[in-house]
Amino acid sequence: MIVESVGEGVTELEPGDHVLPVFTGECKECQHCKSEESNMCGLLRINTDRGVMLNDNESRFSINGKPIYHFVGTSTFSEYTVVHVGCVAKINPAAPLDKVCVLSCGISTGLGATLNVAKPKKGQSVAIFGLGTVGLAAAEGARMAGASRIIGVDRNPIRFVEAKKFGVNEFVNPKDHNKPVQEVIAEMTDGGVDRSLECTGNIDAMISAFECVHDGWGVAVLVGVPSKDDVFKTHPMNLLNERTLKGTFFGNYKPRTDLPSVVEKYMNKELDVEKFITHEVPFSEINKAFDYMLQGTSLRCIIRMGA
């Protein structure tokens, strides 16, 4: 996205700047933004019900005199949008926007979940539950960290071939076993993996991801978003036996502070973004992108604006 104009009081951006819009924000003033341990901005964290700008509670979009409400602070399915300054990250202008745009959501979420939260050590084992975009980005993070065994867990074996490009070197399909998948992984790894990441939002997968880590030092990170009525249940001994359960939001990246450095990983060839992009469609055919997603054939689809 290229800044077309800025509103009164905006000093960090100017017309012509290249930015990435992000569904969460960083006001830089609240307790969370000032904390080194949080990226959950008190003012701008994701709110699917807001639909309006903060300063006047009004929408900036309309059709035939009727308001169209904003979506998660970005409203990016449009050729022009209006975004709070705290929800855009200024990036290197040399970075190709038609590639690095995919870093605004799923890739950064999975990558950061591994590098910033799970933090596997070189030579450790990592299990990834769900091999969609977020899961493959988590696997990419495990590869970058030097994990020796990266085990992909998915009920769709078609995804196993693609996952090899991201460092996944072992695969488990829960449908192939007549026992809980956490038991399968524990048997494969002499007691459990060192780290696991759940990237599906399925509550059973979340429980399995936690229970498959090794006692004494294993860390499980929940990345997927569960249904509102889901309840996480596990025996307390799994915690008392020194397994650690963590959650993460947007990979613990502060959007304005940290996202530019993720773009630099791409620019420095440390992160291969192109392999995440499976389709490109013009804006006029945006529904095709949703069809690809529902068919399970898309990792990340680029929508070409103005086409």
Side-chain angles (χ1 to χ4, degrees):
M1 178 183 290
I2 299 174
V3 175
E4 187 268 342
S5 61
V6 299
E8 183 180 350
V10 175
T11 58
E12 294 185 22
L13 297 172
E14 59 185 27
D17 283 343
H18 287 208
V19 297
L20 294 181
V22 187
F23 63 91
T24 186
E26 181 186 353
C27 72
K28 296 191 176 184
E29 298 296 331
C30 70
Q31 285 182 315
H32 286 275
C33 287
K34 290 181 178 179
S35 169
E36 294 182 357
E37 301 180 35
S38 175
N39 69 335
M40 301 284 289
C41 177
L43 179 68
L44 298 168
R45 73 175 65 180
I46 186 172
N47 182 337
T48 56
D49 297 323
R50 185 181 296 136
V52 293
M53 300 299 289
L54 288 171
N55 68 323
D56 59 7
N57 289 318
E58 297 288 341
S59 170
R60 296 296 184 268
F61 307 109
S62 65
I63 184 169
N64 298 326
K66 296 182 179 180
I68 298 175
Y69 292 101
H70 298 245
F71 181 64
V72 293
T74 58
S75 301
T76 52
F77 287 168
S78 58
E79 294 186 64
Y80 286 85
T81 188
V82 181
V83 182
H84 190 288
V85 66
C87 291
V88 290
K90 183 178 177 179
I91 63 168
N92 185 340
L97 289 173
D98 63 340
K99 299 294 189 299
V100 298
C101 60
V102 298
L103 297 176
S104 287
C105 188
I107 296 176
S108 294
T109 295
L111 187 73
T114 301
L115 297 179
N116 299 334
V117 187
K119 298 180 180 179
K121 299 176 182 176
K122 186 175 182 180
Q124 287 191 322
S125 57
V126 179
I128 311 291
F129 286 72
L131 298 176
T133 298
V134 177
L136 293 177
E140 183 77 352
R143 182 195 64 78
M144 292 168 67
S148 60
R149 300 179 69 179
I150 305 176
I151 303 169
V153 183
D154 203 295
R155 298 172 68 87
N156 183 357
I158 294 176
R159 292 179 167 178
F160 294 166
V161 175
E162 193 73 22
K164 292 178 182 178
K165 299 178 184 178
F166 299 83
V168 183
N169 47 34
E170 297 179 61
F171 300 93
V172 176
N173 184 342
K175 295 191 294 185
D176 292 340
H177 303 274
N178 56 8
K179 65 178 70 176
V181 68
Q182 55 265 46
E183 294 182 14
V184 175
I185 293 174
E187 291 175 2
M188 291 171 58
T189 56
D190 191 23
V193 290
D194 301 301
R195 302 288 187 267
S196 73
L197 296 105
E198 189 289 320
C199 304
T200 70
N202 179 281
I203 192 65
D204 294 326
M206 291 181 174
I207 295 168
S208 296
F210 175 56
E211 295 183 354
C212 82
V213 298
H214 206 291
D215 59 2
W217 62 81
V219 177
V221 179
L222 304 186
V223 186
V225 180
S227 298
K228 65 177 182 178
D229 296 325
D230 283 339
V231 177
F232 187 97
K233 295 182 180 180
T234 192
H235 197 283
M237 285 303 299
N238 287 320
L239 290 161
L240 295 173
N241 285 337
E242 300 183 14
R243 294 178 178 88
T244 299
L245 179 64
K246 292 186 174 184
T248 181
F249 179 74
F250 193 53
N252 277 42
Y253 285 122
K254 292 180 183 287
R256 298 164 75 185
T257 299
D258 298 329
L259 202 50
S261 66
V262 180
V263 172
E264 290 308 308
K265 287 182 184 294
Y266 167 75
M267 298 297 287
N268 295 332
K269 302 188 185 303
E270 300 171 42
L271 175 62
D272 183 358
V273 167
E274 279 87 350
K275 65 184 177 183
F276 286 93
I277 302 170
T278 53
H279 299 81
E280 292 189 33
V281 299
F283 188 44
S284 59
E285 299 178 15
I286 189 172
N287 285 342
K288 280 188 177 180
F290 289 98
D291 292 338
Y292 291 141
M293 179 182 69
L294 292 172
Q295 293 165 11
T297 59
S298 170
L299 288 181
R300 221 55 176 158
C301 192
I302 300 296
I303 310 298
R304 296 195 302 274
M305 295 299 180

